[in-house]
DNA sequence: AAAGACATGTAAGCCGTTACATGATTAA
DNA sequence: TTAATCATGTAACGGCTTACATGTCTTT
């Protein structure tokens, strides 16, 4: 699965500009896919050359020409090819979890701070997803609802584990400080 | 965070060969980090040149010479530099979720099949993590326990959502078939 | 005055994977 | 006999990010 496949999928709904595609990635897919402009614009160029999409150029005042891309039949077929291709393994890469695994080599205060920050970030993400559910759930396909629920429920699970772990760590640090075995 | 940083972290525990490092990544970190031999071996070479690790060569019968790498003080310092560097954002990339989001463009039977397969895979992963917890939890640092619990709890959450979603999808497909609106 | 939305694109380079190359031993 | 474990390495290539390049309008 490359950015091209996901763009092809997006364009099934309606025509998009590169700028809007980036926005859609961040708003809808960010927790399981993302791509930068440095990927999106050249990919759109390639897709046009391959005949998967057509470009409509709309002049604007004081702005670069806007390019709106629409899916062609050939693009629709290419998307089917993707759907028929073997499923790729998931890749999750977390600097946060790596640092947590090696937490014993870090000052407790810093680890605690890092976890607290992450809790805040996950809470924000969760509110965001919950609002999305509240607002748009009705108009969504069943499978999209599953994806949204998965974001919500895994965030909640993560939050529970982090909060429990945090209070245990804090209790430990407090105990260490009382018994004078504080780490430098 | 690159493969080098994670290798540096691993070597704090004991010396490793490249082969063992790969094994450790798969056994302990696979759900939030992984690297192939094509990354590990060249990285070890670079790390040795930089003085972060030292190599001990152990001849073997009918096998390539085994290279066991140990952390140096310079390597330990480099790891601290990593720990002091800004935390990188998490990157999760899931072909499975992309296909689910675009599930409306796929035959329901195939989507259902894909979800069932994923449920099996997550169940296997979960048993694996739960056994690890049962066996090794006592000897683990608190932060490692948090990471392990997170793997377990997010897997459970995912399973719940997937199972609920699956039964809803199935009910829908059955309903469609009865009313004759089956999709080709 | 600064930040963010709108809007497109290129170039350099990193980081990583896959496939290749080699080959013995042991268990199913 | 097939697969897995043990064991190391290289080369080609791909995909993506970052930084660069440009600029206006609107909101705070």
């Amino acid at each position: 699965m490359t950015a091209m496949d996901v763009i092809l999928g997006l364009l099934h709904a309606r025509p998009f500009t590169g700028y809007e595609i980036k926005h859609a990635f961040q708003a809808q897919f960010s927790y399981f896919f993302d791509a930068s402009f440095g990927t999106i614009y050249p990919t759109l160029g390639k897709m046009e050359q391959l005949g998967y999409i057509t470009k409509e150029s709309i002049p604007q005042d004081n702005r670069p020409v806007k390019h709106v891309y629409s899916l062609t039949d050939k693009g629709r077929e290419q998307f089917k090819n993707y759907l028929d291709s073997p499923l790729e393994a998931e890749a999750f890469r977390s600097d946060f979890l790596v640092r947590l695994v090696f937490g014993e080599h870090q000052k407790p205060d810093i680890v605690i701070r890092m976890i607290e920050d992450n809790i805040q970030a996950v809470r924000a993400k969760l509110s965001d997803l919950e609002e999305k559910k509240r607002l748009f759930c009705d108009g969504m396909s069943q499978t999209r609802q599953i994806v949204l629920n998965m974001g919500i429920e895994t965030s909640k699970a993560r939050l529970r584990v982090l909060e429990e772990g945090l209070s245990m760590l804090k209790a430990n640090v407090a105990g260490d400080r009382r018994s004078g075995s504080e780490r430098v």
Side-chain angles (χ1 to χ4, degrees), chain A:
Chain A
M1 172 203 50
T2 62
M4 195 187 284
D5 300 316
V6 186
I7 293 173
L8 245 17
L10 254 195
L11 293 179
H12 274 69
R14 61 169 178 86
F16 276 84
T17 67
Y19 188 83
E20 288 173 332
I21 288 171
K22 173 70 183 154
H23 196 259
F25 283 171
Q26 257 157 5
Q28 298 172 47
F29 299 165
S30 67
Y31 98 87
F32 56 90
F33 182 83
D34 202 10
S36 64
F37 285 126
T39 295
I40 292 169
Y41 287 121
T43 299
L44 286 170
K46 242 178 274 167
M47 290 169 76
E48 200 199 354
Q49 281 197 331
L50 290 165
Y52 298 159
I53 55 178
T54 53
K55 176 167 72 178
E56 193 197 349
S57 297
I58 300 172
Q60 301 181 107
D61 298 336
N62 304 319
R63 294 255 169 91
V65 181
K66 189 196 279 200
H67 297 307
V68 183
Y69 294 95
S70 303
L71 198 61
T72 65
D73 287 341
K74 206 172 168 190
R76 222 164 264 121
E77 212 166 302
Q78 180 54 31
F79 186 68
K80 276 182 195 154
N81 288 343
Y82 156 62
L83 253 21
D84 288 340
S85 72
L87 184 72
E88 274 171 46
E90 288 182 344
F92 178 47
R93 170 173 277 241
S94 170
D95 193 12
F96 173 70
L97 290 180
V98 166
R99 285 172 200 237
L100 214 43
V101 157
F102 295 127
E104 48 192 331
H105 306 302
Q106 178 77 276
K107 291 181 205 158
D109 288 353
I110 298 204
V111 173
I112 284 170
R113 181 67 192 276
M114 183 178 70
I115 295 173
E116 284 171 344
D117 288 350
N118 193 258
I119 286 174
Q120 286 312 308
V122 177
R123 269 209 254 268
K125 187 81 203 164
L126 179 58
S127 319
D128 187 64
L129 292 173
E130 277 173 335
E131 200 191 340
K132 210 171 284 167
K133 180 168 180 170
R134 209 164 40 74
L135 295 175
F136 306 119
C137 189
D138 293 337
M140 274 166 56
S141 71
Q142 277 192 312
T143 50
R144 275 179 127 96
Q145 286 179 40
I146 294 173
V147 173
L148 185 52
N149 285 332
M150 204 151 110
I152 290 171
E153 294 305 320
T154 54
S155 294
K156 283 184 188 169
R158 180 170 183 154
L159 230 36
R160 284 197 309 270
V161 172
L162 248 26
E163 275 161 356
E164 196 215 314
L166 184 63
S167 65
M168 294 208 324
L169 280 180
K170 278 181 169 173
N172 232 38
V173 169
D176 285 356
R177 286 215 220 282
R178 267 195 301 281
S179 63
S181 61
E182 189 185 353
R183 207 181 163 292
V184 193

